[in-house]
RNA sequence: GCCCGGGUGGCGGAACGGUAGACGCGCUGGACUUAAAAUCCUGUGCCCAAUAGGGCGUGUGGGUUCGAUUCCCACCCCGGGCACCA
């Protein structure tokens, strides 16, 4: 314990922070030890897109997760907490088209700046592990993994109508189309377009993706994913169309309400259904074709109008409901989607609101088959969709519809009229992008051999550097003959290369595994190391990725497991979603002019203050509002911590020692350590900091008394610094050294506490009369209840409220409170 | 419309069913200073009161309980997600 008068100087974060950052880097303080015998902890933050700037939102995502990772390290885990860049994607290419800057150099200079900014945060990243998704070393494995999926039948090509963003000039996956059919990137309204597309068969995993039992994720995300996958169980029921002499004798519908099958009065097919033409009678052809034309030409805006009328056209044909023997008219209508279920629905107007509206418009029969409790045979004014009793349903009459549901389904199966079935809303993941700045899909199209995978030895298929970027939005790869023209690896004849590139979400579906062996050149990851580190123990990031990145990464993990290249089921065991940082009650945006630039504040107050302020604003999960005034409070506290640590501790020697005060400080230190430990573990940074602030306030008061042992004081101060070190790594490193300890504080253990030293010998007993606080009293925990009763009833403050009243009962909660009920 | 969150001082926010408002911002007053800034000390939910004290208070209305910000029911408002999915 050295004398500290020598560092009684001002806190200058600028010097301190750059000094320690250099030292940490030089001494490899954050180098991950792969041979440690400590338990592993892989904590990952969603890596940033190379937009060019680390803004306050990035800080808000990364500073707290770094603090948590550091904390896990301090409590004994061997921590992997890497960082890299999501470096492919459209903005770089758009910059190329606009400004003539190549996407590669654009991205590289952005990364250069972002790396500098990230380093200024002082995070525990091991930069030797950095991964950059646009580097050939990375995307080679994207291509390799694509080929594995292709071989396993999980990647396929299809010609189908897809979401097309006219502004981005590319197709999009369903997940990437937002509310009101807007593009996830640019919010332009997407169109439908028929294109040849590559897809990943995520639907094969629909059922398994609904199983969240191995995950500790926020319920909200699980619900969002469940909704997106959209499982519904029901029956595929066949209507007889044998009278039309077509190759198939039945028309299959999907319904979740087989209990209403006796109420079918019409059938509606999607306009795109392949049987529409053959089922349309001569006289109706013109009208039907006009309708098909109309619905395909409808603008997206029209289709979106909320109260859109249900429309359709009669095909002139009928089918037979084999359960009733009835002939039922077949319509086409655009409220039926070709892509869901069988593309055909049975119309039950009495029990489905859409069918009801359709029936009213086209004057179709409404037959009640589920009766409401008080129903007396009157007509419905809207569909009745609740539960009731079966009527007009043959031998099922009188049953509760929920019971009849199962029985009719069984009956249908027994009679060979259909089968129970499960449908999912989720579609296969469309990964083709008609753009340059992404991973080339490693496929060659040969006129003779067809679709030929690029042989593994030829990977990576490199993006040509000298592509031409035209403002027309055409893919530069299409125009690049030296890229397109290639010999077929199979027959050697001239063939053409696939020019689509992959969705950048492919890159981020497995990057978490690449971090485990970022420079491994034999495979996407070193399996031995993956066995040690995988999967990610704690993932943190925004909830906006619920049905995109997070779902894709789960799919990838399961697919790679089945292919046999990894052996667990989920990529991210625990997930924490941080909230958003806002400014002036609004989301930050350049157009609003309310963007907070972290660099500015780092320069003014230092990274430690910015980190801690962000963590102090409120619960991390809820986000919070940035305040230029608020951060001043954190700056003041940081200085108070500096000052209290910088004092000359020898002033505590040879003075009037009070054992009681000393014991109080011991207790306070122990209590503080326990509380901070528990809060940090749970990401409750705001309350951790509040407790530490309270601790420094108390320490300041204690210092004034100077009646404690020097060693007790030093223990308290060192505990303070250690507890603060994951949150504010620089100032605490400086303090640690100034206190005479060895480099580095970031190799130290989190201070421990002794349960026996937590207990207060006196507690404040709250005294209530009729549930209202009237007095308090310092008592020993050992005082027995009858004695307390005496004390309480003798209190003058209490007497005021009990005199002349009858005491009905007293409730005593040990060590806390006593409540006297009077009347 | 359906499914999640969330409504607490002037503000950000704390509170295992047990003293509501910890901690911080802002503001009062004071110290230091020629002065300002910075820093330190003091007070700070609202109303009445000089103080003591009393009353009222966690979106609204009910309920359970000795006791409710916390649990239950109904409703209102805000944020997010989904929305012709048969």
């Amino acid at each position: 314990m050295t004398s500290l008068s020598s560092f009684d100087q001002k806190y200058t974060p600028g010097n301190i922070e750059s000094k320690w950052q250099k030292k940490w880097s030089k001494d490899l303080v954050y180098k991950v030890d792969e041979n440690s015998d400590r338990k592993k902890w892989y904590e990952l933050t969603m890596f940033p897109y190379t937009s060019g700037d680390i803004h306050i939102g990035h800080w808000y995502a990364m500073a707290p997760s770094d603090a948590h990772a550091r904390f896990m390290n301090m409590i004994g885990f061997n921590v992997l907490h890497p960082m890299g860049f999501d470096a492919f994607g459209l903005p770089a290419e758009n910059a190329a088209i606009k400004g003539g800057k190549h996407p590669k150099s654009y991205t590289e200079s952005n990364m250069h700046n972002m790396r500098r900014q990230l380093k200024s945060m002082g995070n525990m990243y091991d930069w030797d592990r950095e991964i950059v998704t646009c580097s050939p070393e990375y995307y080679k494995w994207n291509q390799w993994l694509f080929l594995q999926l292709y071989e396993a039948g999980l990647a396929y090509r299809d010609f189908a109508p897809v979401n097309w963003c006219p502004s981005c000039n590319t197709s999009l996956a369903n997940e990437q189309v937002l509310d009101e059919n807007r593009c996830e990137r640019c919010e332009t309204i997407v169109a439908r377009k028929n294109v040849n597309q590559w897809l990943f068969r995520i639907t094969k995993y629909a059922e398994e993706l609904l199983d969240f039992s191995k995950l500790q994720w926020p319920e909200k995300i699980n619900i969002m994913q469940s909704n997106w996958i959209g499982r519904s169980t029901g029956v595929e029921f066949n209507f007889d169309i044998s009278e039309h002499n077509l190759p198939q004798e039945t028309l299959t519908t999907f319904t979740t309400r087989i209990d209403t099958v006796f109420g079918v009065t019409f059938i509606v097919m999607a306009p795109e259904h392949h049987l529409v033409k053959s089922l349309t009678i001569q006289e109706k052809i013109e009208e039907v074709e006009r309708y098909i034309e109309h619905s395909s030409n409808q603008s997206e805006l029209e289709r979106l109008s909320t109260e859109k009328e249900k429309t359709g056209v009669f095909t002139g044909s009928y089918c037979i409901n084999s359960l009733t023997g009835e002939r039922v008219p077949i319509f086409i209508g655009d409220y039926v989607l070709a892509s869901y279920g069988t593309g055909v629905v049975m119309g039950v107007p009495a029990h489905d609101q859409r069918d009801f509206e359709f029936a009213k418009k086209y004057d179709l029969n409404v037959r009640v088959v589920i009766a409401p409790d008080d129903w007396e045979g009157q007509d419905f004014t809207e569909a009745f969709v609740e539960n009731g009793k079966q009527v007009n349903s043959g031998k099922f009459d009188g049953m509760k519809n929920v019971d009849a549901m199962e029985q009719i389904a069984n009956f249908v199966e027994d009679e060979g009229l259909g089968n129970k079935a499960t449908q999912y809303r989720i579609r296969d993941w469309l990964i083709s992008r008609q753009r340059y700045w992404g991973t080339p899909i490693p496929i060659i199209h040969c006129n003779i051999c067809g679709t030929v995978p690029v042989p593994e030895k030829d990977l990576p298929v490199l993006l040509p550097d000298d592509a031409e970027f035209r403002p027309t939005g055409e893919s530069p790869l299409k125009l690049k003959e030296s890229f397109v023209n290639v010999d077929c690896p199979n027959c050697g004849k001239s063939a053409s290369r696939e020019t689509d590139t992959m969705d950048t979400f492919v890159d981020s579906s497995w990057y978490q595994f690449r971090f485990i062996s970022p420079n491994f050149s034999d495979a996407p990851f070193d399996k031995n190391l993956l066995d040690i580190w995988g999967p990610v123990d704690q993932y943190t990031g925004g909830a906006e990725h619920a049905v995109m990145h997070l779902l894709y990464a789960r799919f990838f993990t399961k697919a790679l497991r089945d292919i046999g290249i990894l052996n667990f089921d989920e990529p991210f065991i625990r997930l924490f979603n941080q909230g958003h940082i806002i400014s002036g009650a609004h989301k930050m945006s350049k157009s609003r002019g309310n963007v907070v630039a972290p660099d500015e504040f780092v320069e003014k107050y230092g990274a430690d203050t910015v980190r801690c302020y962000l963590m102090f604003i409120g619960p991390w999960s809820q986000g919070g509002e940035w305040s230029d005034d608020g951060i001043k409070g954190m700056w003041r506290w940081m200085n108070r911590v500096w000052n209290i640590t910088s004092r000359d501790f020898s002033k505590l020697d040879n003075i009037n020692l009070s054992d009681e005060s000393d014991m109080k400080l011991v207790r306070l230190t122990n209590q503080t350590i326990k509380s901070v430990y528990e809060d940090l573990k749970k990401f409750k940074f705001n309350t951790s900091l509040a407790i530490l602030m309270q601790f420094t306030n108390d320490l300041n008061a204690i210092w004034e008394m100077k009646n404690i042992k020097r060693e007790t004081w030093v223990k308290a101060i060192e505990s303070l610094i250690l507890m603060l070190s994951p949150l504010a790594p620089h100032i605490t490193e400086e303090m640690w050294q100034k206190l005479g300890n060895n480099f580095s504080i970031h190799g130290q253990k989190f201070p421990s506490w002794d349960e026996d030293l937590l207990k207060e010998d006196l507690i404040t007993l709250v005294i209530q009369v009729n549930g209202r606080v009237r007095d308090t009293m310092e008592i020993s925990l050992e005082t027995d209840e009858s004695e307390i009763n005496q004390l309480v009833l003798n209190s003058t403050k209490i007497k005021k409220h009990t005199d002349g009243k009858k005491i009905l009962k007293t409730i005593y909660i040990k060590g806390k409170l006593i409540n006297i009920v009077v009347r």
Side-chain angles (χ1 to χ4, degrees):
Chain A
M1 277 171 238
T2 48
S3 172
L4 300 160
S5 47
S6 60
F7 91 105
D8 197 348
Q9 44 182 251
K10 260 184 89 185
Y11 169 47
T12 50
N15 303 333
I16 293 170
E17 292 182 355
S18 62
K19 175 177 81 182
W20 290 116
Q21 282 164 16
K22 277 180 205 133
K23 171 83 169 157
W24 294 332
S25 166
K26 191 172 134 266
D27 286 26
L28 305 175
V29 168
Y30 303 123
K31 179 120 197 108
V32 177
D33 176 6
E34 287 166 350
N35 302 310
S36 167
D37 51 8
R38 297 194 295 168
K39 210 171 165 225
K40 71 99 179 181
W41 182 263
Y42 183 4
E43 179 146 359
L44 183 65
T45 301
M46 290 177 186
F47 67 166
Y49 172 68
T50 47
S51 59
D53 192 39
I54 292 291
H55 53 74
I56 204 78
H58 290 116
W59 271 77
Y60 195 61
M62 292 166 182
S65 57
D66 178 67
H68 191 260
R70 286 174 176 277
F71 170 74
M72 294 308 283
N73 181 53
M74 287 184 91
I75 64 170
F77 289 91
N78 187 28
V79 174
L80 172 61
H81 184 54
M83 186 43 66
F85 294 100
D86 182 19
F88 267 140
L90 265 182
E93 192 166 345
N94 291 341
I97 292 164
K98 262 193 217 137
K101 196 165 186 191
H102 193 276
K104 192 171 171 182
S105 56
Y106 170 87
T107 303
E108 271 165 7
S109 70
N110 282 355
M111 277 192 291
H112 183 76
N113 185 45
M114 292 170 82
R115 219 174 266 127
R116 173 192 63 78
Q117 291 177 302
L118 280 169
K119 286 180 179 173
S120 80
M121 293 172 77
N123 291 345
M124 62 175 296
Y125 305 137
D126 173 355
W127 284 99
D128 291 341
R129 282 181 181 264
E130 180 196 78
I131 60 179
V132 173
T133 59
C134 69
S135 71
E137 295 74 31
Y138 187 87
Y139 72 70
K140 170 183 176 176
W141 299 112
N142 250 358
Q143 294 172 339
W144 186 87
L145 289 165
F146 176 95
L147 293 176
Q148 306 307 307
L149 293 176
Y150 181 75
E151 298 301 334
L154 292 169
Y156 66 97
R157 198 175 188 224
D158 192 25
F159 184 77
V162 297
N163 306 302
W164 182 270
C165 174
S167 162
C168 297
N169 271 304
T170 185
S171 51
L172 298 170
N174 276 343
E175 289 80 11
Q176 292 153 38
V177 178
L178 309 176
D179 203 23
E180 297 185 340
N181 267 340
R182 286 172 193 280
C183 168
E184 186 248 337
R185 271 231 103 84
C186 66
E187 300 193 359
T188 304
I189 292 187
V190 302
R192 305 294 289 180
K193 189 171 174 181
N194 282 295
V195 203
N196 256 315
Q197 299 291 329
W198 284 96
L199 297 104
F200 284 160
R201 214 177 289 283
I202 192 170
T203 52
K204 190 182 168 194
Y205 291 89
E207 195 59 46
E208 198 192 338
L209 288 167
L210 286 168
D211 177 8
F212 301 97
S213 62
K214 288 175 181 141
L215 299 176
Q216 296 164 45
W217 283 20
E219 195 52 30
K220 181 185 159 177
I221 302 292
N222 299 353
I223 290 167
M224 282 166 74
Q225 292 203 348
S226 296
N227 288 344
W228 185 259
I229 294 164
R231 180 184 202 265
S232 49
T233 52
V235 172
E236 281 179 357
F237 181 71
N238 302 323
F239 285 82
D240 185 344
I241 51 168
S242 54
E243 64 182 87
H244 300 285
N245 295 317
L246 295 171
Q248 59 189 90
E249 299 202 324
T250 59
L251 188 60
T252 306
T253 60
F254 174 73
T255 180
T256 54
R257 291 295 307 274
I258 195 66
D259 55 317
T260 66
V261 69
F262 290 89
V264 174
T265 54
F266 58 96
I267 293 292
V268 189
M269 303 170 77
E272 302 87 355
H273 194 280
H274 69 283
L275 285 179
V276 168
K277 280 199 175 109
S278 30
L279 282 170
T280 304
I281 61 166
Q282 193 61 40
E283 303 83 82
K284 292 282 185 184
I285 285 178
E286 202 185 315
E287 196 184 345
V288 165
E289 281 186 347
R290 208 181 316 126
Y291 185 82
I292 295 173
E293 180 73 12
H294 173 73
S295 46
S296 68
N297 281 347
Q298 249 183 348
S299 80
E300 296 295 326
L301 271 174
E302 277 169 331
R303 286 191 49 207
L304 285 166
S305 68
T306 35
E307 290 300 308
K308 194 183 160 252
E309 205 180 17
K310 310 275 169 288
T311 61
V313 181
F314 183 38
T315 60
S317 292
Y318 291 82
C319 60
I320 291 166
N321 179 348
S322 305
L323 269 185
T324 60
E326 270 177 302
R327 269 166 67 83
V328 183
I330 303 174
F331 281 73
I332 63 168
D334 66 3
Y335 77 99
V336 176
L337 308 175
S339 50
Y340 183 77
T342 61
V344 189
V345 302
M346 55 185 220
V348 185
H351 306 292
D352 182 288
Q353 189 57 29
R354 292 155 303 178
D355 296 347
F356 186 86
E357 286 164 28
F358 192 83
K360 284 287 157 208
K361 185 167 165 79
Y362 296 104
D363 204 21
L364 297 158
N365 213 1
V366 177
R367 183 192 305 145
V368 176
V369 290
I370 311 290
D373 282 345
D374 52 355
W375 189 60
E376 284 162 356
Q378 68 273 38
D379 286 349
F380 285 176
T381 51
E382 58 179 5
F384 173 70
V385 296
E386 261 119 272
N387 292 323
K389 283 223 169 70
Q390 299 283 145
V391 292
N392 296 321
S393 301
K395 65 173 183 174
F396 301 98
D397 276 358
M399 294 178 71
K400 284 184 183 165
N401 73 308
V402 282
D403 300 331
M405 188 102 74
E406 182 66 14
Q407 299 216 17
I408 298 176
N410 289 335
F411 184 70
V412 164
E413 282 196 333
D414 292 346
E415 296 292 310
L417 301 174
N419 48 275
K420 292 180 191 168
T422 303
Q423 290 290 341
Y424 300 92
R425 214 187 67 121
I426 191 172
R427 306 291 145 74
D428 279 337
W429 172 17
L430 193 161
I431 62 142
S432 280
R433 298 292 176 270
Q434 290 68 33
R435 301 299 302 245
Y436 167 81
W437 194 233
T439 305
I441 293 176
I443 289 288
I444 289 162
H445 300 291
C446 170
N447 286 334
I448 301 155
C449 309
T451 304
V452 182
V454 172
E456 207 177 312
K457 66 174 172 54
D458 294 341
L459 297 183
V461 175
L462 289 170
L463 271 180
D465 280 344
D466 55 347
E468 197 187 324
F469 300 93
R470 296 191 184 174
T472 55
E474 279 166 291
S475 169
L477 292 180
K478 272 208 156 76
L479 309 167
K480 187 77 195 152
E481 285 183 18
S482 59
F483 178 80
V484 175
N485 298 333
V486 63
D487 291 341
C488 171
N490 215 12
C491 66
K493 299 257 164 56
S494 61
S496 62
R497 212 180 266 291
E498 171 65 59
T499 55
D500 282 357
T501 52
M502 295 183 207
D503 181 2
T504 55
F505 280 112
V506 175
D507 313 357
S508 54
S509 289
W510 65 280
Y511 81 116
Q512 66 275 10
F513 304 138
R514 184 68 184 168
F515 274 128
I516 283 164
S517 50
N519 304 308
F520 195 58
S521 54
D522 301 340
F525 32 79
D526 182 335
K527 218 174 163 209
N528 294 325
L529 288 171
L530 189 68
D531 286 343
I532 296 170
W533 288 107
V536 173
D537 297 285
Q538 180 67 62
Y539 199 34
T540 60
E544 62 275 14
H545 287 108
V547 295
M548 291 190 265
H549 164 56
L550 290 171
L551 195 58
Y552 297 148
R554 291 183 68 211
F555 156 68
F556 244 72
T557 305
K558 292 168 196 302
L560 300 188
R561 173 202 62 197
D562 290 348
I563 288 166
I565 58 179
L566 51 78
N567 56 12
F568 42 83
D569 305 306
E570 295 286 353
F572 315 115
I573 304 303
R574 295 173 194 77
L575 175 68
F576 188 98
N577 294 124
Q578 79 271 3
H580 294 282
I581 194 91
I582 59 171
S583 153
H586 292 289
K587 229 176 137 171
M588 285 183 211
S589 67
K590 279 181 192 145
S591 56
R592 269 208 189 85
N594 62 348
V595 177
V596 174
D599 290 11
E600 203 180 289
F601 289 93
V602 172
E603 200 174 318
K604 198 164 170 190
Y605 300 116
D608 286 336
T609 294
V610 177
R611 288 169 65 107
C612 289
Y613 175 60
L614 287 169
M615 290 187 250
F616 184 67
I617 290 177
W620 196 30
S621 59
Q622 277 171 39
E625 187 172 339
W626 176 273
S627 152
D628 289 1
D629 273 335
I631 193 172
K632 283 188 209 157
M634 190 53 69
W635 165 244
R636 282 178 204 144
W637 180 63
M638 227 27 105
N639 278 282
R640 283 204 293 273
V641 170
W642 175 271
N643 292 335
I644 201 171
T645 314
S646 311
R647 287 172 190 159
D648 179 0
F649 297 170
S650 68
K651 286 186 177 151
L652 291 169
D653 297 334
N654 313 313
I655 38 96
N656 48 334
L657 179 75
S658 153
D659 283 338
E660 197 193 331
S661 298
D662 199 66
M663 196 52 224
K664 265 190 184 158
L665 176 54
V666 169
R667 194 184 303 126
L668 178 67
T669 306
N670 273 269
Q671 287 167 338
T672 303
I673 293 168
K674 186 181 183 183
S675 305
V676 172
Y677 173 92
E678 283 169 355
D679 282 358
L680 283 181
K681 201 162 194 182
K682 290 183 282 195
F683 297 99
K684 291 171 74 177
F685 305 105
N686 57 330
T687 48
S688 302
L689 280 158
I691 294 162
L692 290 174
M693 286 172 175
Q694 182 67 66
F695 190 44
T696 47
N697 291 347
D698 292 341
L699 285 177
N700 267 323
I702 289 166
W703 175 261
E704 292 306 312
M705 307 298 296
K706 294 202 178 48
N707 56 0
I708 43 137
K709 287 185 201 141
R710 176 157 163 177
E711 60 186 86
T712 310
W713 176 260
V714 170
K715 164 79 179 153
I717 292 292
E718 288 194 347
S719 298
L720 170 68
I721 298 307
L722 286 165
M723 287 186 278
L724 181 58
S725 70
L727 310 170
H730 311 89
I731 187 175
T732 50
E733 184 76 280
E734 180 78 10
M735 297 295 180
W736 189 246
Q737 188 197 44
K738 303 275 191 189
L739 288 168
N741 296 299
N742 291 333
F743 181 79
S744 158
I745 193 173
H746 301 299
Q748 303 301 313
K749 285 232 173 314
F750 198 81
S752 55
W753 69 92
D754 182 343
E755 284 289 332
D756 292 336
L757 293 175
L758 297 174
K759 289 183 210 108
E760 301 278 357
D761 32 32
L762 286 181
I763 57 105
T764 305
L765 183 76
V766 173
I767 308 162
Q768 300 183 329
V769 178
N770 284 351
R772 320 204 48 156
V773 180
R774 298 302 180 183
D775 198 5
T776 60
M777 203 177 264
E778 296 287 310
I779 57 154
S780 154
L781 250 183
E782 272 71 58
T783 320
D784 68 45
E785 196 176 336
S786 60
E787 197 180 331
I788 290 171
N789 255 313
Q790 279 308 309
L791 284 168
V792 164
L793 293 174
N794 287 333
S795 147
T796 46
K797 284 180 184 172
I798 295 306
K799 275 187 175 154
K800 253 171 74 181
H801 296 276
T802 53
D803 273 358
K805 292 184 177 146
K806 192 175 158 201
I807 294 174
L808 298 178
K809 61 172 160 176
T810 43
I811 292 111
Y812 175 60
I813 309 293
K814 191 165 188 254
K816 284 210 166 135
L817 164 149
I818 186 161
N819 187 12
I820 302 156
V821 185
V822 299
R823 197 175 56 204

